[in-house]
Amino acid sequence: MVQQIDPVITDTLDCLEENIFIIDLEYKVSWMNQSAQSFIDNIKTFLKLEKAEDLIGTSISRFHKNPSYQINLLEKGDFPIDMQLNLFNRFVARLVVKEFIVTGEKKGYLLNWRDITEIEKEKEKTQALIDELSAPILQTIAENTLLVPLVGELSIERMERLTSKLLNECLKNQADFVLLDFSGVTTLADSNLGQEVQKLTSAVELMGATVLYCGFSTEMVKDMVDLGIQTNQLSFVSFHNAIRYVVAKLGYRLEKA
C-alpha cells in the first residue's frame, strides 16, 4: 500500500504538524506521517508497542470499544466523520476521517488524530469552578444553619455533585437546618430534576438536618406544576422569611460573630 502512494502525497503529509494516518480498505493502518510517528512514540507503552512503526498493519478496531460501530460509520460513507474517543482512561482523542482518493480511485481513508486530553481537562476544571460558583454552600447568622443559593440552569449532574458536597458540609458544620434558595434558578425543564431535588432533601434529612425551600418564582412554580413535580417540603417566598422561621425555631440562638 505504502509503495503505491505518490511520494508527492506522502512528502506533503509529512510537512503537516497534524497527526495523519492512512487507513487501507481493510481498515488497517498502512502509513503515518512524521508528526504521527512522534506522537505514537510518546504513547507506545499504552498501545503495547515497542516502536511506532509496529502500528503499521494494525487494525483501527483496537482503538474503539465497539469496532463494529466504527466500521459501520466508514461503510456508511457520510464523510467527514468526526468522533471523540477516550483511550485507556487517560487520553482523549478527536478523530476526523475522510476518504483517501487518488486519481479518482478510493485507496482508503485519511485519519487525523488530535490529542485533546489537556483541553478536556481544562474544560472539566472550568466546569467544576462554574459548579462551585453556581451552587455555593454558605453559613448564615443562624446557628448550625446552611444556605445553598442555586443559580442558573439546574441539571441532574449538578444536583448529584451538590448532594455529595452538601452532605459533607452538613457533617462538618453539624447542620440543623439547610435552606435551598431557588431564586436564582433560570431553567427547570426536566421532570427528573424534581426527583433529584427530593433525593438531596431526603439525604440531608437522614443527616439530621431540616431542609427548607425558598425563593420559588411564579414561573418556576408553573414549570413544576406542568412537569408534575410535587413536594411536601416547607417552602417560603424568600430567604428572609425562611431565616426568620429558623431563628424563631432556634429560640433566637444566633451564631456568634
Side-chain angles (χ1 to χ4, degrees):
M1 172 69 178
V2 177
Q3 290 77 5
Q4 298 175 358
I5 303 175
D6 190 329
V8 174
I9 296 177
T10 56
D11 289 345
T12 301
L13 295 177
D14 265 331
C15 292
L16 300 178
E17 295 183 359
E18 300 281 347
N19 303 320
I20 305 296
F21 300 81
I22 293 179
I23 311 301
D24 64 23
L25 295 174
E26 296 181 351
Y27 310 115
K28 296 179 180 179
V29 179
S30 64
W31 183 86
M32 55 186 158
N33 68 353
Q34 292 297 319
S35 178
Q37 184 170 326
S38 298
F39 172 64
I40 295 299
D41 266 328
N42 290 332
I43 65 171
K44 61 185 178 183
T45 302
F46 299 96
L47 296 172
K48 297 181 180 180
L49 301 174
E50 290 187 8
K51 55 185 182 299
E53 290 85 347
D54 293 338
L55 187 65
I56 302 300
T58 299
S59 172
I60 60 173
S61 62
R62 70 180 297 179
F63 302 118
H64 202 287
K65 62 182 179 181
N66 186 359
S68 60
Y69 172 77
Q70 190 178 42
I71 300 303
N72 286 337
L73 283 179
L74 295 175
E75 291 179 345
K76 185 178 179 181
D78 189 12
F79 297 100
I81 298 171
D82 194 332
M83 68 183 80
Q84 183 169 308
L85 300 179
N86 289 294
L87 303 172
F88 320 114
N89 295 319
R90 185 182 180 96
F91 303 103
V92 183
R94 182 184 178 190
L95 305 181
V96 179
V97 184
K98 300 179 180 179
E99 289 183 296
F100 180 45
I101 299 176
V102 181
T103 60
E105 181 182 356
K106 181 176 178 179
K107 298 291 187 178
Y109 309 90
L110 279 179
L111 185 149
N112 183 356
W113 180 340
R114 301 173 187 171
D115 180 18
I116 57 174
T117 306
E118 294 304 318
I119 295 176
E120 289 303 307
K121 286 182 179 179
E122 286 302 315
K123 285 183 179 179
E124 290 178 1
K125 290 180 181 178
T126 300
Q127 187 59 51
L129 178 59
I130 291 173
D131 290 343
E132 180 74 20
L133 295 175
S134 61
I137 299 174
L138 309 173
Q139 295 187 10
T140 70
I141 61 170
E143 184 180 358
N144 300 338
T145 300
L146 299 176
L147 168 65
V148 184
L150 299 170
V151 179
E153 180 178 353
L154 292 186
S155 68
I156 292 177
E157 186 178 36
R158 271 188 63 193
M159 294 305 300
E160 289 175 345
R161 285 199 292 263
L162 175 59
T163 299
S164 177
K165 179 182 175 183
L166 183 54
L167 292 179
N168 288 328
E169 289 297 316
C170 286
L171 182 61
K172 176 182 175 182
N173 293 279
Q174 296 297 298
D176 292 322
F177 290 91
V178 172
L179 310 184
L180 294 183
D181 187 350
F182 292 85
S183 59
V185 174
T186 58
T187 304
L188 182 65
D190 189 340
S191 60
N192 291 325
L193 283 171
Q195 297 177 7
E196 291 302 320
V197 172
Q198 190 56 55
K199 285 180 184 178
L200 181 150
T201 300
S202 298
V204 171
E205 292 188 334
L206 283 174
M207 298 287 291
T210 299
V211 178
L212 306 177
Y213 297 161
C214 62
F216 286 121
S217 65
T218 54
E219 291 78 9
M220 189 172 182
V221 171
K222 291 177 181 177
D223 287 342
M224 292 175 67
V225 172
D226 291 340
L227 292 170
I229 298 173
Q230 299 179 356
T231 177
N232 295 320
Q233 215 66 25
L234 191 59
S235 301
F236 297 85
V237 172
S238 66
F239 165 72
H240 179 70
N241 288 357
I243 199 66
R244 281 200 309 176
Y245 172 86
V246 171
V247 169
K249 277 290 186 180
L250 294 174
Y252 297 95
R253 289 189 293 117
L254 297 181
E255 185 181 37
K256 295 181 180 180

